[in-house]
Amino acid sequence: MERTKFILDEKDMPTAWYNVQADLPEPLPPLLHPGTKEPTRLPPPLFAEALNEQEFSKERWIEIPEEVRAIYRTWRPTILHRAHRLEKALDTPAKIFYKYEGTSQAGSHKPNTAVAQAYYNKKEGTKRMTTETGAGQWGSALSMGCMFFGLELKVYMVKVSYYQKPYRRVLMETWGAKCVPSPSPDTEIGRRILAEDPDCTGSLGIAISEALEDAFAHDDTKYSIGSVVNHVLLHQTVNGLEAKKLMEQADAYPDIIVGCIGGGSNYAGLFLPFVKDKLDGTKPDLRIINVEPASCPSVTKGLYAWDYGDVAGLAPIIRMYTLGHTFVPPPVHAGGLRYHGMAPIICHLHKLGFVEARAEHQLATFEAGITFARTEGIVSAPETNHAIRVTIDEALKCKESGESKTILLAHSGHGHFDMAAYDEYLSGKLTDYEYPEEKVKEALAHLPEVPSA
Ligand SMILES: Cc1ncc(COP(=O)(O)O)c(C=O)c1O
């Protein structure tokens, strides 16, 4: 009998996060201050000091505090599955594994950093936090993190998702947070955007600006971001470190790792401990495929340039693949993949040739999600369906070539709050969105000028 699940004991859960900055062949480009355009830290009034230190640390291993591990243990370690039923349905010689993060209380990988961020903020005396959320996964994860550590939270949720996924708001409120649709009348930037376009469906860039403005305006408040920045990717490596141990248990090592990227945190969390083997030359042939939506293709069609992290230009300027900070992506159901930029760590690794990227259309990703649900049983988040699409395509290539490759899928979460999207797909109403070339061209005209770059 071949095993289907690989499981770690609680006592074998990682005790330190892996910091890839210790092993990069070239250091990451700096963050630039949005005003002076000089290298900067994350704005100190907005971030806990411990998180700011982690952002720039070159230490290879950073200890996970016991208080964080105690909360991790409420759902971690998560399981590595072998997708026997999917393999059979595809009639492929490929071996497909997936590391499933949907068993956290919030339903995705997001609590891995939410709990850590809430902990460091509580420790440093923060009373209240603000954040943005796309699909609502991040907002609910931070609501849970803040609940565990007794912090208040206000979430600015991208308007299109707020109405597509009403129960995500209820989940956040159940954990004690406040959630408003963004753009909102609660901030200066929100009011300005609503005055120009009352029907604006919102974007992560706008929601970030609102959450930043709110945090700047309140002394007892700090801001939290759910993806993109280095310390978030760091916290997510707890998943990749578990996956590495579990792959050993399965007596396997991936030829290909696949994951979806919105800001890059779930996928980097899985692949960074493996990319280490590529950086040190032990596994030069390992392929790492980042999957993004064809409607918001920052890595495959964006520019590698300096750009603001948010619409209002309050956040630091980041060197990344970007579609322009003013770009408002089409309202696809994978709300968590609608960000104009990408994690600097992923962009840097892509630029250096260690990882690759691919863009997929919405309909094809739902088709893959249905295949997964009808074989493995799990109804996946629309974001995750992007990675499932490419996993299936790679497995089908193995069928053609007769190769028995090992594929590891980063399964970032369940889609139980995404029934409206599945309903649209199943009733034939879901559509694809073309790559919005003109809108991207327009947005790229507003990149900041950086004299020293
Ligand atoms: C289930 C799920 N997967 C993936 C993502 C994309 O974010 P990231 O690239 O930071 O993992 C999100 C974001 O909301 C999500 O909810």
Side-chain angles (χ1 to χ4, degrees):
M1 189 181 71
E2 276 202 277
R3 278 187 70 173
T4 304
K5 295 200 302 305
F6 300 87
I7 303 168
L8 279 184
D9 194 89
E10 274 182 20
K11 69 174 175 14
D12 297 323
M13 199 175 77
T15 54
W17 294 297
Y18 167 60
N19 180 13
V20 74
Q21 292 194 67
D23 294 318
L24 291 173
E26 291 173 24
L28 288 172
L31 293 179
L32 303 183
H33 188 280
T36 64
K37 317 252 169 87
E38 292 296 329
T40 184
R41 306 175 77 218
L42 296 170
L46 294 180
F47 288 88
E49 188 51 35
L51 298 171
N52 224 330
E53 270 171 33
Q54 290 175 0
E55 189 66 19
F56 303 100
S57 169
K58 299 272 191 316
E59 292 291 317
R60 183 169 291 114
W61 300 103
I62 295 179
E63 196 194 334
I64 308 175
E66 173 48 31
E67 293 87 337
V68 173
R69 273 186 273 155
I71 308 243
Y72 276 178
R73 283 194 293 271
T74 62
W75 80 95
R76 302 209 71 85
T78 61
I79 295 171
L80 177 75
H81 298 251
R82 172 85 186 270
H84 289 299
R85 298 174 64 84
L86 176 63
E87 289 169 18
K88 198 153 177 247
L90 300 176
D91 189 23
T92 174
K95 297 186 189 72
I96 305 175
F97 291 86
Y98 60 100
K99 184 77 165 30
Y100 183 45
E101 288 290 283
T103 49
S104 77
Q105 298 90 325
S108 77
H109 63 289
K110 301 276 183 186
N112 296 333
T113 184
V115 167
Q117 292 192 42
Y119 164 77
Y120 288 116
N121 272 286
K122 180 68 179 185
K123 198 169 164 215
E124 293 181 24
T126 306
K127 298 273 179 286
R128 176 179 176 268
M129 301 200 66
T130 64
T131 198
E132 69 288 334
T133 192
Q137 291 268 24
W138 168 242
S140 32
L142 191 62
S143 304
M144 182 183 102
C146 285
M147 173 279 292
F148 275 124
F149 289 102
L151 295 166
E152 274 180 54
L153 173 66
K154 179 159 177 189
V155 181
Y156 293 85
M157 183 168 182
V158 177
K159 199 195 273 177
V160 58
S161 298
Y162 185 90
Y163 293 109
Q164 274 172 351
K165 298 170 196 199
Y167 294 127
R168 276 278 166 201
R169 168 181 59 78
V170 181
L171 188 59
M172 291 181 232
E173 290 171 353
T174 303
W175 276 315
K178 185 163 196 276
C179 173
V180 294
S182 165
S184 79
D186 300 4
T187 64
E188 191 59 44
I189 175 82
R191 288 190 289 275
R192 205 174 74 211
I193 290 170
L194 286 172
E196 281 166 18
D197 177 10
D199 298 323
C200 177
T201 50
S203 71
L204 273 173
I206 295 171
I208 293 173
S209 294
E210 291 204 87
L212 285 172
E213 184 188 317
D214 181 329
F216 269 125
H218 296 94
D219 282 344
D220 63 350
T221 302
K222 296 234 185 263
Y223 165 75
S224 166
I225 184 163
S227 190
V228 182
V229 297
N230 305 339
H231 65 266
V232 174
L233 273 58
L234 172 80
H235 301 152
Q236 292 294 349
T237 61
V238 66
N239 187 33
L241 292 164
E242 287 177 6
K244 229 175 159 187
K245 286 192 186 179
L246 288 164
M247 287 299 284
E248 271 171 33
Q249 211 188 87
D251 202 16
Y253 191 93
D255 296 298
I256 305 174
I257 313 183
V258 186
C260 65
I261 48 167
S265 73
N266 86 87
Y267 188 40
L270 184 84
F271 81 63
L272 286 174
F274 290 92
V275 93
K276 185 171 184 292
D277 302 340
K278 215 170 144 98
L279 293 170
D280 69 17
T282 338
K283 295 283 179 187
D285 299 329
L286 168 64
R287 288 181 61 205
I288 296 173
I289 310 178
N290 293 267
V291 193
E292 58 185 10
S295 57
C296 189
S298 44
V299 182
T300 50
K301 294 241 170 100
L303 283 184
Y304 188 61
W306 296 96
D307 197 8
Y308 297 107
D310 70 316
V311 167
L314 297 172
I317 298 172
I318 312 174
R319 185 91 168 140
M320 60 181 173
Y321 287 100
T322 180
L323 299 167
H325 62 283
T326 55
F327 173 65
V328 177
V332 286
H333 278 283
L337 306 185
R338 295 173 72 246
Y339 182 59
H340 65 273
M342 189 47 60
I345 287 178
I346 291 190
C347 298
H348 192 62
L349 288 169
H350 187 276
K351 203 68 198 157
L352 296 175
F354 289 101
V355 304
E356 52 194 287
R358 215 177 279 182
E360 296 293 337
H361 279 289
Q362 175 161 261
L363 279 173
T365 65
F366 270 88
E367 185 200 33
I370 295 284
T371 303
F372 199 79
R374 292 182 186 173
T375 49
E376 295 300 310
I378 293 173
V379 178
S380 308
E383 290 83 0
T384 318
N385 286 344
H386 287 69
I388 296 175
R389 173 75 271 159
V390 170
T391 301
I392 290 179
D393 290 345
E394 289 299 319
L396 290 174
K397 278 188 206 157
C398 286
K399 182 180 174 181
E400 264 176 42
S401 67
E403 287 170 292
S404 172
K405 290 191 177 160
T406 298
I407 305 174
L408 172 59
L409 159 70
H411 195 304
S412 54
H414 69 63
H416 297 178
F417 290 90
D418 301 285
M419 287 303 118
Y422 276 88
D423 191 25
E424 272 187 41
Y425 176 76
L426 292 169
S427 56
K429 291 191 202 125
L430 201 72
T431 53
D432 279 337
Y433 291 92
E434 278 315 306
Y435 165 58
E437 196 163 356
E438 281 311 308
K439 279 171 74 185
V440 170
K441 212 188 269 174
E442 216 282 310
L444 286 175
H446 303 293
L447 294 181
E449 272 183 36
V450 177
S452 56

